[in-house]
Amino acid sequence: MSANRKLSIRNLLSLTLAALMLATNVASAQNRSITGSVTGSKNEPLAGVNIVIRGTTTGVMTDMDGKYSIPIQSNDAVLVFTYIGYGQEEVTVGNQSSINVALAEDAQNLDEVVVIGYGSTTKKEITGSVASVKSEDFNTGAFNSPIGMVQGKVAGLNIINPNGSDPQGSYEIILRGTNTLTAGAQPLIIVDGVEGADLKNVNFQEVESIDVLKDGSAAAIYGTRGSNGVIIITTKRARSGVTNVEFSGILSAQVAPRMVKNLSADEFRNAINTYTPSKSGNIYVGNTDWFDEVTRDVPVSQNYNISVSGGSEKFSHHSALGIEQNQGLLKDNNLNKVLIKTNILQNLFNNKLVLDYNLIYGKRKYNPANYDIFAQAFLHNPTEPVYDPANVESGGYMHVNAIEYYNPVAMINERTREGRTVDMTANAKATLNITDGLQWSNFIGYESSDWEENDYKSHYYPSALGSNGVAEVGNGYWDKITFQSIFSFKKYIENHNIQAIAGYSYLDEMTNSSWMLNSNFDLDRYLYNNIGQGAALKEGRASMSSSREESKLISFFTRAMYNFDEKYLLSGSLRYEGSSRFGDNHRWGLFPAISGGWRMSREAFMEDISWLSELKLRVGYGVTGNQEFPNYRQLVLLKSDQKFYSEGKWISTYAPSSNPNPDLRWEKKQEFNVGVDFSVLKNRLSGSIDYYIRRSSDLLNEFQVPSPPYLYSTMYANVGTIENQGVELMVNAVAVQKANFAWTTTLTASHNSNKLIKFSADNMQGSKYWTGWLWGEIATNCQVIEEGQSLGTFYGPAWLGIDEFGNDKFKGQKPDGKVPQEKWEEIGNAYPDVVLGWSNNFQYKNWNLSFALRASIGGEVLNTYRLYYENWGALGVKNIVASQLDNPNFTGNALYSSKYLEDASFLKMDNISLGYKFNFEQKYINSMRIYLTAQNVFCITGYKGVDPEVGLSGLAPGIDPRSYYPYTTNISLGLNLVF
């Protein structure tokens, strides 16, 4: 019998039973109403309380005086009273004619558990700047990384996807601005207690919460790895109870790809004939859409996850299997993934000992994307045919000899690339409950990753013609051992609450890799599977390399938290840490933090403010470090140098390839944060405001030094100071709360300003450095790193327009039409002024609609496609951007200037989702939800390129690269089943 037929029969029986009950009670219950009033914890009348007869859609709301009247049809009716900020009450009517209810305040929101460093606390006790996002508030859809689920949800957390729709792409994560020059810039990722976890091994459908430690006082407990903040991800864990089986399936399709707009074949012919007739020899008979030739029509992806959980109080488990099959927009670009996760929780000796076991196995097989194919598809002549059977030397492909000009179809067909990665994480945690409130936990974990990538370019690969096939094989292995031992203590003494931890951490990390290359093969059949057959090996033209490196990190840490009467809060932490990456003179560092909070709303003088639910002031200061830079930079490294002949044999010599630096130390960040948490109108409106100022000193950078006296021409040392300061706002609101309809909304806003305070050292040559190199025919830097300026500052000629001869006019230009670099001026900055996020969720009965918007205001982006290809001089062998047709009077050559710097402001709809939940009362199915989601729906911007949201990390942010992966809109159909 079908499910729909069962539902119909059940509904018919329910209606019949209801009719019989109504007939027996109609005489006594007809026209009967219940009246009453509803008050709050301070005996004040509550207006807008929802009163619903359970199991029906009949409902009313209290008036301004807290009074109500509701008709009933049965003495068995149950009235359900709900109001934002208060606990739910249920009352059976019986023979009563008047029912008055006093609702108690619901402290659940303030008692919500938030994960912090090496433990957890409640939201009301937090004194640092910490943001927590639960699963019900995540963005919906399909994600290649769980961090996408909180994009736009946390103020100050800027999550950018610079890799378009590449299934192997990863997000760029920046928290409160750029704090470094060359060291790691992304936050520390912790997954279920595993520090430095790889997000690619986290199934987004298994995530329960994501907590972000934003300020120094919250992140200092992680010492040299907390400088850029900490993101703690908690996945579904073992819980006791009946066996529960969940299934989730998502089928996705990519549509509406966005590409750089170039000239079509007809536009190309017309443009040459009209503006550059001397180049008519570049017109062929073809009508080729190169973008269409290298892309799939509708890439389809599948994502499935099944989990099983249950058990008793003594033994419980949660296991999940995730399978993904992802097609990229680019042909022959795929990613297939399998993730297996198991968590077992065991209680022994009457809960005196708790054992927590975790095992994760992940396997990825992939065909990487060559982003340069899209660049070649853009600049390729659309009148060229794809194939030229007469051209035997190129394998029958159309081939034109030009610099950096290759047939993109041949680049796909004549190259085979594949890779695989096997990851494993195994850890166990034993917690001993020594006494009431005192615990001792020991955690030991092992992580490993085994990878291999193979690449073969055939005899006809465009950029390798004449090489007779080129094979590359690379592989490597990485592992990490972690041990932690932590004592934790909690004690409640009347109005005093004390929490403390003290622990030790040891981390040992090792990486090795090898690579080989050979060419000149007799045939392409072997691909990379018989690399020794290439003749280049015998001719001494093959290449080979290998490497191995290891690092250790040892830490001692402690934290104490105290609050009095849940009103006055104080927290302090200290970490003493040593890293093998630092010089002998600075191997160990001390990282303190202190923060306090005052819950003003609990003071007697604020008791009469009925509309105020919570008001807390927070102040914090913390010191963190940054050790995320390559190993062995503090040592003298050697490289192979010249050989000389002596006594009948050749002798190799070695020369320094780096300078020793025993004073190399961690980058140090000092951060002050002040914030306010508030909740008003019975928790219908809540949020937080934070102001921070963070100064990072001893920034690491490599610079030129004289040799001699130095051993080598560059030095890696601590040379700079950078400052970020900003404001963050987050507001949550229950805009509408009705019996059958609810609307909740969240707004985030952040502003950050960046300034390089110092960028020099005694042995440095100058304090101003050019960066942002533009390759090819432009051949210049476009940004400056200079004391007193922000990173990401563009310098160049100021464009004034076009003269009567069709050439660019610049401020201060010389007779030759150019501006000397020493006369260049500041023309823009890559960083936005304000970043906004707005999320909404609508609930009507069993229907759910959600959408999320995100906006960036201010900042500039360099449009390199316009810079290189918005001129008639580039037209001919290569294609140009279609925007040149809007400015046909420009006849000059490509020159870097403010002309190509565009406003990066945008408004995006990241996702929109519509779902319906079926509730079953059957033996096998508990619930079912079906939903339809669209991601990356639209982008409103004045930017003329593909997308104004380009990478903002590193020393040259805000440059839209010529090699890119297009964006698409992703449409997903999802199904969730609970058995």
Side-chain angles (χ1 to χ4, degrees):
M1 183 181 295
S2 69
N4 288 334
R5 182 175 176 83
K6 289 181 179 179
L7 287 172
S8 300
I9 294 174
R10 188 182 67 183
N11 291 339
L12 179 61
L13 291 173
S14 298
L15 289 172
T16 303
L17 180 60
L20 291 172
M21 294 175 62
L22 179 63
T24 58
N25 294 301
V26 67
S28 59
Q30 194 172 14
N31 298 324
R32 183 183 173 196
S33 294
I34 299 296
T35 61
S37 63
V38 183
T39 57
S41 57
K42 299 177 182 178
N43 204 32
E44 75 279 14
L46 297 180
V49 177
N50 288 303
I51 303 110
V52 179
I53 300 176
R54 191 171 65 184
T56 73
T57 59
T58 303
V60 298
M61 298 179 70
T62 56
D63 60 20
M64 295 301 296
D65 297 322
K67 296 181 179 180
Y68 72 94
S69 177
I70 184 171
I72 65 165
Q73 300 295 325
S74 169
N75 292 341
D76 296 330
V78 177
L79 301 184
V80 181
F81 298 80
T82 57
Y83 191 57
I84 296 297
Y86 288 83
Q88 178 176 292
E89 290 288 341
E90 296 186 4
V91 180
T92 302
V93 171
N95 295 321
Q96 302 176 83
S97 59
S98 178
I99 298 177
N100 298 323
V101 172
L103 296 181
E105 288 193 26
D106 185 5
Q108 181 178 0
N109 185 49
L110 294 176
D111 290 331
E112 180 181 281
V113 175
V114 177
V115 180
I116 58 175
Y118 302 107
S120 61
T121 187
T122 59
K123 188 175 181 180
K124 63 189 176 187
E125 294 177 287
I126 289 177
T127 53
S129 182
V130 180
S132 182
V133 184
K134 305 302 182 184
S135 58
E136 59 268 22
D137 298 318
F138 289 159
N139 293 324
T140 55
F143 300 91
N144 59 5
S145 169
I147 203 68
M149 298 189 296
V150 293
Q151 189 176 35
K153 300 282 188 179
V154 178
L157 182 65
N158 202 5
I159 300 172
I160 301 170
N161 181 14
N163 300 308
S165 58
D166 182 2
Q168 281 188 268
S170 58
Y171 289 96
E172 179 183 279
I173 310 171
I174 302 175
L175 180 61
R176 292 186 167 182
T178 300
N179 304 287
T180 185
L181 296 175
T182 59
Q186 295 209 2
L188 172 66
I189 304 296
I190 302 174
V191 179
D192 294 331
V194 178
E195 300 171 10
D198 189 346
L199 289 174
K200 292 180 180 179
N201 292 321
V202 181
N203 187 340
F204 71 92
Q205 297 190 74
E206 284 287 298
V207 177
E208 284 196 333
S209 67
I210 298 179
D211 298 273
V212 183
L213 313 185
K214 297 197 288 185
D215 74 329
S217 67
I221 193 71
Y222 290 103
T224 59
R225 292 180 296 168
S227 186
N228 301 303
V230 181
I231 297 177
I232 303 175
I233 298 177
T234 304
T235 65
K236 295 177 181 178
R237 315 291 290 163
R239 292 186 179 90
S240 60
V242 297
T243 300
N244 181 274
V245 180
E246 295 185 37
F247 169 82
S248 298
I250 302 175
L251 180 65
S252 304
Q254 297 179 42
V255 298
R258 269 80 90 190
M259 60 169 287
V260 180
K261 179 62 178 173
N262 56 8
L263 300 182
S264 66
D266 291 338
E267 290 172 334
F268 185 90
R269 293 186 179 95
N270 183 63
I272 285 185
N273 291 330
T274 304
Y275 300 105
T276 59
S278 62
K279 299 179 180 179
S280 59
N282 294 302
I283 298 177
Y284 298 91
V285 297
N287 291 280
T288 305
D289 184 336
W290 291 99
F291 185 85
D292 185 64
E293 292 288 339
V294 299
T295 57
R296 292 183 169 105
D297 292 333
V298 181
V300 177
S301 300
Q302 303 173 70
N303 186 303
Y304 304 102
N305 187 70
I306 186 168
S307 64
V308 181
S309 59
S312 64
E313 291 292 334
K314 292 186 177 181
F315 184 91
S316 55
H317 63 91
H318 177 88
S319 299
L321 169 65
I323 300 175
E324 295 182 32
Q325 294 181 334
N326 301 295
Q327 290 184 339
L329 177 66
L330 183 67
K331 290 180 178 178
D332 200 32
N333 172 215
N334 307 284
L335 170 64
N336 297 319
K337 182 192 299 187
V338 175
L339 276 175
I340 301 173
K341 186 191 80 167
T342 294
N343 172 234
I344 296 174
L345 195 65
Q346 189 174 10
N347 290 316
L348 303 174
F349 310 117
N350 293 324
N351 295 329
K352 285 291 185 181
L353 179 64
V354 180
L355 301 179
D356 191 342
Y357 312 95
N358 295 276
L359 178 65
I360 299 174
Y361 173 86
K363 184 175 183 179
R364 300 192 301 272
K365 295 183 67 176
Y366 50 89
N367 306 105
N370 181 1
Y371 286 21
D372 192 50
I373 290 175
F374 289 110
Q376 293 293 330
F378 161 83
L379 57 84
H380 237 68
N381 184 339
T383 68
E384 287 183 20
V386 176
Y387 301 99
D388 179 11
N391 195 337
V392 179
E393 291 183 356
S394 66
Y397 295 97
M398 182 68 183
H399 178 74
V400 175
N401 286 317
I403 298 175
E404 296 182 355
Y405 188 77
Y406 310 114
N407 188 316
V409 174
M411 292 174 72
I412 291 179
N413 296 343
E414 302 302 320
R415 185 178 188 181
T416 302
R417 297 180 73 189
E418 67 175 14
R420 61 137 188 100
T421 301
V422 177
D423 299 322
M424 188 183 76
T425 298
N427 59 67
K429 181 179 180 182
T431 302
L432 179 64
N433 295 302
I434 301 173
T435 63
D436 185 21
L438 179 61
Q439 291 183 335
W440 179 29
S441 63
N442 288 274
F443 174 92
I444 186 168
Y446 176 79
E447 301 169 73
S448 68
S449 180
D450 189 343
W451 60 270
E452 180 180 16
E453 288 195 358
N454 303 306
D455 187 351
Y456 185 78
K457 301 180 182 73
S458 79
H459 285 58
Y460 305 117
Y461 190 78
S463 65
L465 292 177
S467 298
N468 295 326
V470 180
E472 293 182 64
V473 173
N475 53 61
Y477 180 80
W478 166 89
D479 69 10
K480 182 171 68 175
I481 297 174
T482 304
F483 173 74
Q484 294 171 1
S485 183
I486 303 173
F487 285 92
S488 58
F489 175 75
K490 289 184 180 181
K491 190 68 174 180
Y492 297 87
I493 306 173
E494 296 182 352
N495 292 327
H496 304 276
N497 180 6
I498 302 172
Q499 300 182 47
I501 64 168
Y504 164 82
S505 175
Y506 171 85
L507 185 151
D508 189 327
E509 190 171 358
M510 185 277 295
T511 302
N512 65 32
S513 63
S514 61
W515 172 82
M516 63 189 78
L517 178 146
N518 202 1
S519 61
N520 199 1
F521 292 87
D522 293 328
L523 67 167
D524 294 326
R525 182 180 299 274
Y526 293 124
L527 299 178
Y528 35 72
N529 298 307
N530 195 1
I531 195 170
Q533 289 298 310
L537 178 63
K538 299 178 181 179
E539 299 165 0
R541 295 185 293 108
S543 301
M544 182 181 296
S545 68
S546 63
S547 66
R548 185 184 189 278
E549 57 186 66
E550 188 174 3
S551 65
K552 289 182 173 64
L553 187 70
I554 298 175
S555 313
F556 302 88
F557 54 89
T558 183
R559 181 182 60 225
M561 301 172 63
Y562 168 79
N563 77 66
F564 174 73
D565 196 25
E566 296 187 345
K567 185 190 304 183
Y568 308 112
L569 316 170
L570 185 64
S571 176
S573 67
L574 186 66
R575 188 177 184 108
Y576 184 60
E577 189 162 64
S579 171
S580 62
R581 292 179 178 173
F582 303 139
D584 290 339
N585 298 338
H586 296 277
R587 186 142 290 181
W588 289 85
L590 195 63
F591 304 95
I594 187 168
S595 58
W598 178 24
R599 296 181 66 197
M600 301 172 61
S601 53
R602 289 181 60 86
E603 296 288 357
F605 60 82
M606 303 192 80
E607 287 184 351
D608 295 332
I609 306 177
S610 59
W611 53 268
L612 181 64
S613 303
E614 174 75 6
L615 181 63
K616 180 171 66 175
L617 174 66
R618 294 178 281 102
V619 179
Y621 171 82
V623 178
T624 53
N626 193 341
Q627 63 122 32
E628 299 306 316
F629 56 90
N631 293 314
Y632 312 131
R633 298 306 297 265
Q634 80 280 21
L635 303 176
V636 178
L637 301 180
L638 299 178
K639 64 178 180 180
S640 178
D641 201 26
Q642 298 178 356
K643 294 185 178 182
F644 66 92
Y645 191 79
S646 176
E647 297 181 358
K649 62 181 178 180
W650 287 97
I651 299 176
S652 298
T653 65
Y654 291 85
S657 61
S658 68
N659 282 303
N661 188 355
D663 292 321
L664 192 69
R665 57 192 178 274
W666 57 90
E667 296 184 344
K668 183 172 64 177
K669 187 198 73 181
Q670 298 169 295
E671 183 170 9
F672 171 77
N673 189 98
V674 58
V676 176
D677 298 330
F678 63 89
S679 179
V680 299
L681 304 177
K682 309 304 179 185
N683 293 321
R684 293 198 67 158
L685 183 67
S686 62
S688 63
I689 303 174
D690 281 270
Y691 168 77
Y692 61 87
I693 179 168
R694 47 169 53 178
R695 176 169 289 205
S696 300
S697 58
D698 294 330
L699 300 182
L700 291 162
N701 194 48
E702 191 170 48
F703 55 92
Q704 297 289 324
V705 293
S707 174
Y710 289 90
L711 297 176
Y712 193 65
S713 59
T714 62
M715 183 80 168
Y716 194 70
N718 304 87
V719 297
T721 300
I722 194 170
E723 183 178 278
N724 285 274
Q725 56 180 310
V727 179
E728 299 167 349
L729 170 68
M730 184 185 70
V731 177
N732 299 304
V734 182
V736 178
Q737 182 68 50
K738 300 287 187 180
N740 296 306
F741 177 73
W743 170 26
T744 58
T745 183
T746 299
L747 174 69
T748 62
S750 62
H751 162 75
N752 181 80
S753 62
N754 174 279
K755 186 177 181 180
L756 186 62
I757 304 298
K758 178 185 176 183
F759 187 55
S760 61
D762 295 338
N763 49 4
M764 280 188 68
Q765 299 174 359
S767 60
K768 178 178 179 180
Y769 285 82
W770 288 89
T771 185
W773 179 255
L774 303 174
W775 298 93
E777 54 269 36
I778 304 300
T780 186
N781 288 295
C782 64
Q783 291 185 4
V784 166
I785 299 175
E786 185 177 14
E787 291 181 356
Q789 299 289 332
S790 169
L791 297 181
T793 299
F794 290 96
Y795 269 72
W799 184 69
L800 301 178
I802 300 175
D803 63 20
E804 64 273 20
F805 303 107
N807 296 313
D808 286 324
K809 294 190 300 182
F810 305 109
K811 180 181 176 181
Q813 72 185 68
K814 298 297 183 180
D816 62 359
K818 297 181 180 180
V819 181
Q821 192 176 65
E822 62 267 19
K823 298 294 184 181
W824 287 10
E825 58 187 80
E826 181 181 346
I827 57 177
N829 189 272
Y831 298 128
D833 298 319
V834 179
V835 177
L836 302 169
W838 187 35
S839 302
N840 294 269
N841 186 71
F842 301 89
Q843 188 78 38
Y844 175 71
K845 295 184 178 179
N846 288 359
W847 289 94
N848 176 264
L849 173 67
S850 64
F851 68 85
L853 296 169
R854 195 163 45 88
S856 179
I857 302 173
E860 281 77 35
V861 58
L862 179 61
N863 190 331
T864 57
Y865 272 88
R866 287 187 56 225
L867 170 59
Y868 285 84
Y869 306 115
E870 194 178 74
N871 61 84
W872 296 125
L875 179 65
V877 174
K878 300 177 182 179
N879 206 342
I880 61 174
V881 290
S883 57
Q884 174 62 16
L885 298 178
D886 301 328
N887 304 281
N889 295 329
F890 173 60
T891 58
N893 296 319
L895 294 172
Y896 166 68
S897 73
S898 61
K899 175 182 180 180
Y900 306 104
L901 214 57
E902 301 183 36
D903 185 3
S905 300
F906 64 82
L907 172 65
K908 288 186 175 184
M909 176 173 278
D910 287 327
N911 65 73
I912 182 171
S913 180
L914 176 65
Y916 185 84
K917 184 177 182 180
F918 299 86
N919 292 316
F920 298 97
E921 295 180 1
Q922 298 184 2
K923 183 177 180 180
Y924 299 108
I925 301 179
N926 293 331
S927 66
M928 178 176 72
R929 182 174 181 265
I930 299 176
Y931 60 93
L932 183 67
T933 299
Q935 296 171 260
N936 197 16
V937 183
F938 64 73
C939 177
I940 300 174
T941 181
Y943 180 59
K944 297 179 181 179
V946 176
D947 194 299
E949 193 175 23
V950 299
L952 292 178
S953 63
L955 297 183
I959 300 175
D960 196 354
R962 286 189 290 168
S963 293
Y964 73 103
Y965 203 109
Y967 291 84
T968 61
T969 296
N970 196 63
I971 307 295
S972 300
L973 178 64
L975 171 67
N976 297 114
L977 284 170
V978 179
F979 300 93

